[in-house]
Amino acid sequence: MIASLDDVERLLRPAGYLGLAARPLYLLPMLRTGCLSELLTVEGADAGWAERFGVRVHSLEEQTARREDTLSGRHLEELMEHLPAVVGNRWRGREFALAAYGTYREHWRQAIGRTGATLLVPPAPGGGDLLTDKVLMRDWFEHLGVPTPASVVVDSIDYPLLSGKFGPVFVAQKPKGSSGGNGTYLVTGEQEARELPQRSRWLVSEYAGDTTFSFHGFVPREGTPEVLRPALQLTGVEGLGSGFGGYVGTDFQAPALLPAEALAKGREAMERIGHGLADLGYRGIFGGDFALRADGSVATLEINCRVLGSSWLLGELEVGAGLLPTMVRHFAERHGHVTIGKPDLDPVEAVQLTIRHTDAAGVLLDAPVGGVYALEGDRLVFRRPGAGLLECGPADTQECVLLNLPRAGTALHPGGILGRLVTRRPLTTADGRSLNQYGRILVNAMRRLYSFVDATG
């Protein structure tokens, strides 16, 4: 049984997990606790991470000197194609337990096998299409007694018909294979409806509200499903390079400003979903996304049964409190260990924000190094090394941590991640829809740390 960081040191670190993720940041709790011996990623690690965490990092970005929008997942496929050049013969004869962010694909094991390594993959969790198809998911929510937005499945977007049902503004979603808000569209008029991509199947829903929040949940191998910290979902914030529904960050302090009754309803829905997942045979992390309606009621939008884009930040809070990170529990349980956690629902100062490149493609001439920065006037000034929230000073120091940064010489394409801001101060308005004054100053100061030359020049 694994119940503490000491147990991690004794039982998990010797396993030497292989981490597989689009970016190193997503597996930071595994790095903090020393569980990873090798890390295979699309984007490169920030300077000093390999030495700091005692891990060998292999990235596609090192081979291509290119950073693009990674939402489609095709870059992980390209990474697998580049494996012989990325790792050479260094893995021959080795055995790795897998720690993968997101969905694992069987042919990746075959690709890793061609390097001479053996990859130990945990059994597939239960649930199947029910947990990846939003249409089936909504039906399941209704079976569980969980409130959802009014919705309909259609084969084309007929604006006059659908606006008569849902009003002039509604949401159209690709039912499968989307994450981070990718494949979700806000339809506000007939022209927008005509410009949507052609699909044979759409999930169309009422627009349930401007404010969205989420909970982490955990289904253990033994014991009762757990509901963990809530967070305000930051989506589609102007000036960050993401469109409607695009996930741009998380604020773990902001739920203190939400109605207590709404949080209670979200928690109740998570409990029902957690027990439903346990019955399906699912084990590990899941996240639930909720919309707060104008009348104070709550609509359940979807769940994601995997490590989430905010799981690493949750892990920072847990490691800082001396607790077993939920992410570590997720991978340990999938590989057969029983774990025990201590759920904490209290709001806490922790914010992350993703900034994407919004100009034409360019090659970076100058780029900042990752670490702790302080705001001096309208400038960000490097203070000391740091990998995440644990190195960031209190809110009144005006410190932040910059991470997930491309290096000088990298070709940065529109939509590619310019970097992430991590701080203990709020960066958005209370509804999570717009940057506040401090957030605007930080984002602008961060963008000024870069200089580009035209990629074709």
Side-chain angles (χ1 to χ4, degrees):
M1 180 177 292
I2 298 173
S4 68
L5 293 176
D6 287 341
D7 292 337
V8 172
E9 175 80 23
R10 180 170 53 87
L11 297 173
L12 296 186
R13 290 188 66 171
Y17 283 80
L18 167 66
L20 174 61
R23 46 193 64 98
L25 170 69
Y26 283 163
L27 297 178
L28 184 55
M30 296 291 286
L31 292 167
R32 291 274 194 199
T33 53
C35 292
L36 299 183
S37 62
E38 305 275 337
L39 182 56
L40 191 61
T41 63
V42 174
E43 296 173 358
D46 286 290
W49 274 39
E51 297 78 13
R52 181 187 188 104
F53 299 119
V55 63
R56 188 186 294 272
V57 182
H58 315 274
S59 74
L60 179 64
E61 195 168 87
E62 292 173 352
Q63 301 295 315
T64 63
R66 182 184 78 237
R67 181 175 288 198
E68 300 174 327
D69 188 338
T70 57
L71 284 177
S72 68
R74 67 178 175 83
H75 296 88
L76 282 172
E77 299 300 318
E78 187 178 353
L79 173 63
M80 291 300 164
E81 294 173 3
H82 278 74
L83 268 184
V86 170
V87 304
N89 292 319
R90 289 187 290 268
W91 289 0
R92 188 163 300 280
R94 296 188 64 182
E95 183 177 83
F96 297 111
L98 175 67
Y101 171 89
T103 303
Y104 167 77
R105 300 177 183 177
E106 176 59 30
H107 64 274
W108 294 352
R109 173 158 50 186
Q110 298 168 0
I112 291 171
R114 288 194 289 273
T115 70
T118 300
L119 187 61
L120 304 179
V121 179
D129 287 346
L130 183 65
L131 305 183
T132 58
D133 186 310
K134 293 179 175 63
V135 174
L136 298 178
M137 189 183 295
R138 291 277 177 90
D139 292 340
W140 185 59
F141 287 163
E142 291 185 13
H143 171 73
L144 295 175
V146 173
T148 64
S151 61
V152 65
V153 180
V154 298
D155 57 10
S156 63
I157 305 298
D158 184 329
Y159 183 78
L161 178 65
L162 293 169
S163 61
K165 181 176 180 64
F166 297 115
V169 178
F170 55 84
V171 177
Q173 290 179 287
K174 175 184 175 183
K176 292 195 70 172
S178 58
S179 62
N182 189 32
T184 298
Y185 305 89
L186 184 68
V187 181
T188 61
E190 193 157 1
Q191 180 64 32
E192 283 180 321
R194 285 197 294 265
E195 292 174 354
L196 292 176
Q198 295 297 313
R199 301 198 188 282
S200 60
R201 187 167 169 252
W202 287 97
L203 175 64
V204 178
S205 308
E206 63 168 317
Y207 181 63
D210 290 339
T211 300
T212 56
F213 63 96
S214 65
F215 281 89
H216 267 80
F218 191 82
V219 183
R221 296 169 66 89
E222 297 181 2
T224 303
E226 304 161 11
V227 181
L228 312 179
R229 290 187 192 276
L232 186 69
Q233 290 276 78
L234 310 181
T235 61
V237 177
E238 186 177 354
L240 302 183
S242 296
F244 171 78
Y247 172 77
V248 297
T250 300
D251 187 330
F252 279 102
Q253 175 69 26
L257 303 176
L258 297 179
E261 185 177 356
L263 291 174
K265 290 176 180 177
R267 194 158 52 245
E268 179 185 352
M270 286 290 289
E271 289 172 352
R272 291 177 181 242
I273 292 168
H275 285 283
L277 289 174
D279 290 342
L280 292 173
Y282 180 84
R283 298 295 182 268
I285 289 174
F286 71 100
D289 295 341
F290 303 89
L292 178 61
R293 300 182 191 271
D295 63 3
S297 63
V298 170
T300 308
L301 303 179
E302 66 179 24
I303 58 170
N304 292 290
C305 293
R306 53 173 171 79
V307 174
L308 310 171
S310 55
S311 296
W312 75 269
L313 187 55
L314 174 67
E316 291 285 88
L317 298 170
E318 292 165 330
V319 171
L323 301 176
L324 184 63
T326 301
M327 182 185 293
V328 173
R329 295 183 65 196
H330 176 82
F331 294 122
E333 295 245 355
R334 291 200 170 192
H335 281 281
H337 298 279
V338 174
T339 68
I340 296 177
K342 297 179 181 179
D344 189 345
L345 291 168
D346 291 337
V348 64
E349 295 174 339
V351 182
Q352 68 156 326
L353 201 64
T354 303
I355 297 92
R356 294 182 180 273
H357 184 54
T358 55
D359 295 327
V363 176
L364 282 168
L365 291 178
D366 294 298
V369 297
V372 180
Y373 286 72
L375 193 63
E376 296 183 4
D378 62 353
R379 297 173 57 247
L380 280 171
V381 178
F382 182 83
R383 284 279 178 86
R384 58 186 178 276
L389 185 73
L390 292 185
E391 289 78 33
C392 186
D396 59 5
T397 64
Q398 297 200 70
E399 287 189 347
C400 65
V401 179
L402 304 188
L403 62 163
N404 197 188
L405 309 177
R407 301 191 186 190
T410 302
L412 194 61
H413 293 256
I417 289 179
L418 192 63
R420 295 183 193 239
L421 284 166
V422 180
T423 180
R424 299 184 189 275
R425 293 185 59 174
L427 299 177
T428 66
T429 52
D431 62 3
R433 302 292 292 178
S434 304
L435 292 173
N436 61 22
Q437 182 179 8
Y438 183 65
R440 287 193 297 272
I441 292 171
L442 276 189
V443 170
N444 290 335
M446 180 177 174
R447 288 191 184 277
R448 285 196 295 271
L449 294 174
Y450 295 87
S451 63
F452 296 85
V453 63
D454 190 294
T456 61

